[in-house]
């Protein structure tokens, strides 16, 4: 009988661990945003391309999404 290894979960970033306590104006990077929504990073970028989520550019190479926008997206999907 073969033993199955327990599934290892990915470590949670400090930002994601505190997500429920963050104000709506707080910004999250795409990787953390995707994990917060429970989707892949590719799915997140598709939502951004469809303009279902708004992004904020802090610099030319730094994209963020506000907690308010993430919460509004989740609220719009509840009950669907």
């Amino acid at each position: 009988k073969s033993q199955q290894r327990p599934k290892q979960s990915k470590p949670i970033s400090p930002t994601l661990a505190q997500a429920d306590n963050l104000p709506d104006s707080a910004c999250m990077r795409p990787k953390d945003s995707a994990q917060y929504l429970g989707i892949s990073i590719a799915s997140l970028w598709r939502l951004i391309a469809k303009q279902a989520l708004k992004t904020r550019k802090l610099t030319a190479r730094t994209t963020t999404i506000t907690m308010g926008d993430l919460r509004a997206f989740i609220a719009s999907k509840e009950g669907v």
Side-chain angles (χ1 to χ4, degrees):
K1 191 172 171 182
S2 67
Q3 288 184 330
Q4 291 183 355
R5 284 192 238 168
K7 206 174 198 182
Q8 292 183 358
S9 59
K10 293 181 182 179
I12 296 175
S13 74
T15 304
L16 194 56
Q18 297 295 323
D20 292 336
N21 300 325
L22 295 173
D24 285 347
S25 60
C27 295
M28 290 183 81
R29 298 296 304 269
K31 182 179 176 182
D32 291 331
S33 299
Q35 196 171 3
Y36 181 75
L37 294 175
I39 61 175
S40 69
I41 191 74
S43 294
L44 179 81
W45 286 114
R46 280 192 291 274
L47 289 171
I48 292 167
K50 291 179 186 177
Q51 298 180 346
L53 278 172
K54 291 187 249 175
T55 61
R56 308 271 193 287
K57 294 293 276 184
L58 298 182
T59 68
R61 294 180 55 166
T62 306
T63 300
T64 62
I65 303 165
T66 65
M67 283 302 300
D69 288 337
L70 291 170
R71 291 176 180 136
F73 177 77
I74 291 169
S76 73
K77 297 300 176 188
E78 288 179 351
V80 173

